[in-house]
Amino acid sequence: MCKKSIKKRDRARELIKKNKEIFKCPICNGFMSIDDSNSLTCNSNHCFDLAKKGYINLLTSSGVSSYSKELFQARHKVIEAGFYDPLIDKLVEIICEHQKYINKEKVNILDAGCGEGSHIYSIYENIKADFNGNFIGVDISKDSINIAASNNTDIIWCVADLARLPFQNKSLDIVLNILSPANYGEFYRILSDDGIVIKVVPNSQYLKELRETVYSDNENATYCNDKVINHFKERLEVIDTKNINYKFDISKELLPYLIKMTPLTWGESTDKLNSILEKDISSITIDLDIIIGKKKN
Ligand SMILES: C[S@@+](CC[C@H](N)C(=O)[O-])C[C@H]1O[C@@H](n2cnc3c(N)ncnc32)[C@H](O)[C@@H]1O
């Protein structure tokens, strides 16, 4: 066993131990505890192991993610190049502003559907100095959490299903849901009374240069997020919305990773994908809506 892995698991165990009251058994809903072993266990003895890589797997059946390891590796590469940096700056601003209204000593932030973890990691790096609370990243894909946990930091990484979040009622204060599916029933349950959900959804111009090439001949060439936003509004009270729209200069080297990182190109032929590369795209539009909601009274 290599030294680095031991450290990661030890760090994860200590973090979870300090915050064990947040967790709920995803099988029987009981409280969880962890000692010096490498398992989080509930009163009914349902047991979940800490991985050497420093995450906990709380799935009750094998998780099915439609996203491949290659997609997460490609996302990681593109995100590291700064693709979403303006979005992260905006999210940090929103979190810092809202944190003041949360009447709790410790503020718990969850990234629900965190993928390869870069967003919550960047937010953590930006605010950790002035922040008292916990950062948690959850995704159903073990491949994605494996990449996320490779940063040896004070973020709790969990493999879990949004439909059965392993957290106690009202234990989270800020739920981020970035370009991922939502489960509002679960978000509502885990959200504290002062808590907020911050959802990031693509707007009509998002990745338009890719969309126009891939779907040049059909109605998918344009996208409308009304349905997603209306669904959010049905479940939560919207307190603010923001739009963020910018262009990212993309290098020839990064373009293949961009093509791989998005479900937009799923199922497309190699010819079609090559035709995107041949188009000499040099800049990509990022157009995202940020919708912030709280529990309805
Ligand atoms: C497009 S990716 C976005 C990932 C990340 N938020 C980002 O922006 O890079 C959607 C993510 O949602 C996750 N996901 C889908 N269904 C899920 C579920 N039921 N529970 C937890 N995560 C889920 C996928 O595994 C994937 O990582």
Side-chain angles (χ1 to χ4, degrees):
M1 208 184 286
C2 80
K3 211 173 158 195
K4 213 170 167 193
S5 317
I6 297 169
K7 277 196 188 152
K8 276 190 193 164
R9 183 150 63 184
D10 287 347
R11 187 174 189 153
R13 188 197 309 108
E14 289 316 304
L15 262 177
I16 293 173
K17 208 188 255 183
K18 266 199 250 163
N19 296 290
K20 60 178 188 312
E21 68 287 347
I22 297 178
F23 288 89
K24 161 186 105 108
C25 175
I27 298 174
C28 69
N29 299 332
F31 280 94
M32 312 283 282
S33 62
I34 185 163
D35 51 22
D36 287 333
S37 71
N38 289 315
S39 313
L40 186 63
T41 310
C42 76
N43 300 340
S44 311
N45 265 335
H46 299 124
C47 192
F48 301 88
D49 291 337
L50 268 174
K52 275 192 278 185
K53 292 194 171 162
Y55 63 83
I56 187 128
N57 188 340
L58 287 146
L59 275 181
T60 50
S61 54
S62 55
V64 193
S65 174
S66 354
Y67 299 82
S68 66
K69 186 172 172 180
E70 289 69 37
L71 177 140
F72 291 117
Q73 286 166 336
R75 275 193 99 70
H76 195 62
K77 184 110 182 157
V78 171
I79 297 173
E80 267 193 332
F83 196 74
Y84 292 111
D85 283 359
L87 168 69
I88 297 301
D89 291 345
K90 186 52 84 187
L91 293 175
V92 165
E93 202 182 297
I94 296 168
I95 291 168
C96 291
E97 176 56 26
H98 189 77
Q99 192 188 334
K100 296 185 229 155
Y101 304 109
I102 297 173
N103 194 14
K104 270 170 94 179
E105 215 172 285
K106 264 186 170 184
V107 172
N108 293 325
I109 303 186
L110 170 72
D111 186 352
C114 67
E116 47 68 66
S118 295
H119 301 321
I120 183 88
Y121 176 69
S122 300
I123 292 168
Y124 162 83
E125 283 294 322
N126 267 281
I127 67 175
K128 67 178 178 192
D130 307 307
F131 184 84
N132 185 17
N134 295 294
F135 296 80
I136 307 167
V138 161
D139 202 281
I140 202 167
S141 153
K142 208 152 108 175
D143 286 330
S144 75
I145 294 294
N146 244 316
I147 302 175
S150 61
N151 283 316
N152 200 359
T153 56
D154 283 341
I155 299 177
I156 299 173
W157 299 111
C158 307
V159 182
D161 189 347
L162 294 180
R164 209 169 168 73
L165 285 168
F167 306 114
Q168 294 291 339
N169 297 355
K170 301 190 181 187
S171 58
L172 277 303
D173 306 294
I174 297 178
V175 176
L176 296 165
N177 185 231
I178 306 171
L179 303 170
S180 291
N183 185 305
Y184 294 113
E186 279 294 83
F187 290 176
Y188 213 93
R189 182 184 66 75
I190 62 167
L191 205 60
S192 62
D193 292 336
D194 301 327
I196 53 167
V197 175
I198 305 174
K199 184 165 177 69
V200 178
V201 290
N203 197 19
S204 57
Q205 305 294 301
Y206 183 62
L207 307 185
K208 77 178 165 82
E209 297 77 4
L210 273 191
R211 189 177 282 281
E212 283 165 4
T213 313
V214 176
Y215 300 122
S216 52
D217 43 3
N218 68 40
E219 80 260 16
N220 288 328
T222 54
Y223 172 75
C224 171
N225 65 18
D226 283 358
K227 228 169 137 182
V228 180
I229 291 188
N230 286 338
H231 188 44
F232 185 102
K233 287 180 180 162
E234 278 163 23
R235 307 303 299 265
L236 293 157
E237 179 185 333
V238 175
I239 52 174
D240 203 359
T241 52
K242 300 192 185 293
N243 174 263
I244 183 152
N245 189 317
Y246 56 93
K247 285 200 185 277
F248 180 84
D249 292 336
I250 189 125
S251 65
K252 273 199 159 53
E253 293 71 38
L254 201 61
L255 188 56
Y257 293 97
L258 179 81
I259 293 170
K260 258 195 216 150
M261 79 161 206
T262 164
L264 274 182
T265 53
W266 283 357
E268 296 299 336
S269 65
T270 314
D271 280 356
K272 188 63 132 308
L273 299 183
N274 285 339
S275 75
I276 305 174
L277 289 173
E278 280 156 18
K279 265 209 143 181
D280 239 359
I281 297 172
S282 60
S283 106
I284 293 279
T285 306
I286 291 115
D287 179 20
L288 298 164
D289 280 339
I290 305 172
I291 172 160
I292 306 155
K294 62 172 192 167
K295 286 182 170 182
K296 289 187 176 178
N297 287 321

